[in-house]
Amino acid sequence: MGRLTAFASGLSGRYFKPEDIITAVARQGAGMLAVRVSSLVILFGVQALLARLLGADQFGVYTVALAVMGVLQLFARQGFEIAASRFVGGYSGVDNWSLLNGFVKASRMLVLGGAVIFSIGLVVVANLISDSLGDGMLHSLWLIAAILPLFTVLQLEAAIVRGMGRASIADIPTWILHPLILAAGVSAAVFLADAPASAPTALAVFLGTAVCAVIVQHIIMMRVLPESVHAAAPEYRWAEWMKAAPAMMLFAGSAVLISQANTVLLGAMSSAAEAGIYNISGRIAGILQLVTFCFIAAIGPVAARLHAKGDLDELARVTSIGVRVVFAVALLASVILLAAGEYILAIFGDEFRQGYHTLLVLLLGQLFWAATVPAGVLLNMTGHHNESGRILLVAAAVNFGLCALLIPVYGSIGAAIATSVAIVLWNGIMAWSAERRVGIRAYLTFTRATATRSP
């Protein structure tokens, strides 16, 4: 065994140098991908279980309520989950433990305070419009108000762990632990405790499992942060953080609005069942995002460091190789989903089969995203987050306008068209902007990767 280990180490050192950035990015991306693939299997099982237990109508209420939480979370987080990749990675890279401690404490306080404010606002608004809400929606929104602060802090602490270079374990509480406990809890509530098979029942269990996930996530974060951080006196740079975070919130917020607002609009302009069908189609198309998100999380801190050093040729090489791999995997996944999509949808119930054409439209948008995946991260990690935020804001406005026009006529397919058009618009403009601002081709090419201008 010792000889085999030595041989493997020698082989690895011969072809993949320890300091090679591609190797580091691939290691982080592969770790995250393993977590996300495992999570995908679990989440599909949980979604199928909930869809069959609740039925299309109550499952639609459940998904609309979670979509409302998703929209509110982006404002409650205030952009600090994205800022964490920049500031946590930067401070830890130069051993500035005082600033790192200050950022962690300040971001947690601001994010938790914002989430509580939005939770209170949600309860007030839900009560004011209670007469117009469908069966189970009022109680579902009350439960979402309780879940919102927990999940917002959970996502921030996961981002801090990713910023410390531990992307492979950062999402385990959110993406693996939480859905597993949720599935077991809902099944026990319905089959053993005779609780009604409804959206409020599922969300009540969701609340309890969120508490467990937050506790585990906090333990992980505290162990990942070096002892030097806990011992250091916190130093605060409020002006710098408060300037960068809102711009990044605009970037993240517009993306969330594009992905989540359509579910909310479908529930309001069409029906809860239509929103549930769209949600499942979107989750299946979102398989392609597994690779894109893993690439973004792995390349972000690397892009910031290389740009700061002025090594644009190396940054161009890393992003070029990355986008080729991402697109190849996304294309293969698209072919498989085109062939098996209808059968996958049927797992959730026969009524979900009608989401196949919605799935096809969404896959087209996801493929374009895969072909331009480095664009947004290059802008955000090189100081051009304001521009990326403005681009996404325009795309979100286009998405909203198209939804208003197409949903009343085409239902979930109209929402899918709006989403795909918005994806093509934002990623296309960002790829052009990244080449102009950073000097790197942030889209799929097969030519030699070099920077198009000097730093």
Side-chain angles (χ1 to χ4, degrees), residues 173-266:
T174 307
W175 294 96
I176 293 183
L177 177 64
H178 179 261
L180 280 175
I181 303 176
L182 177 63
V186 173
S187 299
V190 172
F191 294 118
L192 300 180
D194 289 329
S198 65
T201 297
L203 289 169
V205 177
F206 194 110
L207 174 60
T209 56
V211 173
C212 298
V214 167
I215 293 172
V216 174
Q217 184 70 73
H218 187 71
I219 293 172
I220 291 174
M221 184 190 73
M222 296 302 287
R223 294 201 171 191
V224 165
L225 291 173
E227 286 296 328
S228 305
V229 176
H230 306 302
E235 182 181 345
Y236 300 97
R237 289 185 179 175
W238 295 102
E240 182 181 2
W241 300 336
M242 296 304 292
K243 181 180 178 181
M248 294 184 178
M249 182 188 74
L250 183 61
F251 174 84
S254 300
V256 171
L257 285 174
I258 291 172
S259 63
Q260 298 289 350
N262 295 16
T263 301
V264 177
L265 290 172
L266 270 168

Side-chain angles (χ1 to χ4, degrees), residues 112-198:
L112 180 59
V116 170
I117 291 172
F118 279 105
S119 292
I120 294 171
L122 176 59
V123 172
V124 171
V125 172
N127 287 335
L128 289 175
I129 63 171
S130 59
D131 291 341
S132 62
L133 297 177
D135 182 32
M137 183 59 78
L138 177 62
H139 292 161
S140 295
L141 293 178
W142 287 350
L143 288 163
I144 286 296
I147 296 168
L148 178 60
L150 294 170
F151 244 62
T152 304
V153 171
L154 176 69
Q155 291 176 338
L156 173 67
E157 294 192 347
I160 291 171
V161 174
R162 285 194 295 271
M164 290 298 298
R166 304 297 298 275
S168 58
I169 64 171
D171 293 327
I172 289 177
T174 307
W175 294 96
I176 293 183
L177 177 64
H178 179 261
L180 280 175
I181 303 176
L182 177 63
V186 173
S187 299
V190 172
F191 294 118
L192 300 180
D194 289 329
S198 65

Side-chain angles (χ1 to χ4, degrees), residues 97-428:
W97 307 126
S98 293
L99 275 176
L100 179 53
N101 193 12
F103 179 83
V104 170
K105 290 180 181 298
S107 60
R108 292 182 75 248
M109 179 184 68
L110 291 169
V111 163
L112 180 59
V116 170
I117 291 172
F118 279 105
S119 292
I120 294 171
L122 176 59
V123 172
V124 171
V125 172
N127 287 335
L128 289 175
I129 63 171
S130 59
D131 291 341
S132 62
L133 297 177
D135 182 32
M137 183 59 78
L138 177 62
H139 292 161
S140 295
L141 293 178
W142 287 350
L143 288 163
I144 286 296
I147 296 168
L148 178 60
L150 294 170
F151 244 62
T152 304
V153 171
L154 176 69
Q155 291 176 338
L156 173 67
E157 294 192 347
I160 291 171
V161 174
R162 285 194 295 271
M164 290 298 298
R166 304 297 298 275
S168 58
I169 64 171
D171 293 327
I172 289 177
T174 307
W175 294 96
I176 293 183
L177 177 64
H178 179 261
L180 280 175
I181 303 176
L182 177 63
V186 173
S187 299
V190 172
F191 294 118
L192 300 180
D194 289 329
S198 65
T201 297
L203 289 169
V205 177
F206 194 110
L207 174 60
T209 56
V211 173
C212 298
V214 167
I215 293 172
V216 174
Q217 184 70 73
H218 187 71
I219 293 172
I220 291 174
M221 184 190 73
M222 296 302 287
R223 294 201 171 191
V224 165
L225 291 173
E227 286 296 328
S228 305
V229 176
H230 306 302
E235 182 181 345
Y236 300 97
R237 289 185 179 175
W238 295 102
E240 182 181 2
W241 300 336
M242 296 304 292
K243 181 180 178 181
M248 294 184 178
M249 182 188 74
L250 183 61
F251 174 84
S254 300
V256 171
L257 285 174
I258 291 172
S259 63
Q260 298 289 350
N262 295 16
T263 301
V264 177
L265 290 172
L266 270 168
M269 301 174 69
S270 183
S271 67
E274 192 81 6
I277 292 170
Y278 174 84
N279 178 269
I280 292 300
S281 299
R283 286 185 177 274
I284 296 173
I287 290 174
L288 274 63
Q289 291 180 1
L290 284 175
V291 184
T292 59
F293 284 156
C294 291
F295 172 80
I296 289 170
I299 197 65
V302 173
R305 286 196 295 270
L306 289 176
H307 184 263
K309 292 167 58 178
D311 195 352
L312 295 188
D313 283 338
E314 181 66 6
L315 182 54
R317 182 179 76 93
V318 173
T319 55
S320 177
I321 294 173
V323 72
R324 291 173 195 170
V325 173
V326 168
F327 184 79
V329 175
L331 183 61
L332 176 62
S334 295
V335 172
I336 295 173
L337 291 176
L338 283 173
E342 192 169 353
Y343 301 102
I344 297 173
L345 285 165
I347 295 173
F348 298 87
D350 289 337
E351 63 266 46
F352 290 91
R353 285 179 179 268
Q354 58 188 288
Y356 181 71
H357 293 98
T358 300
L359 172 63
L360 299 186
V361 176
L362 291 171
L363 285 175
L364 292 175
Q366 293 295 333
L367 269 178
F368 189 87
W369 192 350
T372 55
V373 64
V377 72
L378 282 178
L379 289 175
N380 285 331
M381 295 298 118
T382 58
H384 301 291
H385 41 264
N386 287 331
E387 182 159 350
S388 68
R390 287 192 294 267
I391 293 169
L392 262 169
L393 189 62
V394 171
V398 170
N399 174 72
F400 185 87
L402 288 175
C403 280
L405 290 173
L406 299 177
I407 286 177
V409 181
Y410 301 106
S412 62
I413 294 180
I417 293 172
T419 297
S420 291
V421 169
I423 288 174
V424 170
L425 179 66
W426 107 54
N427 284 281

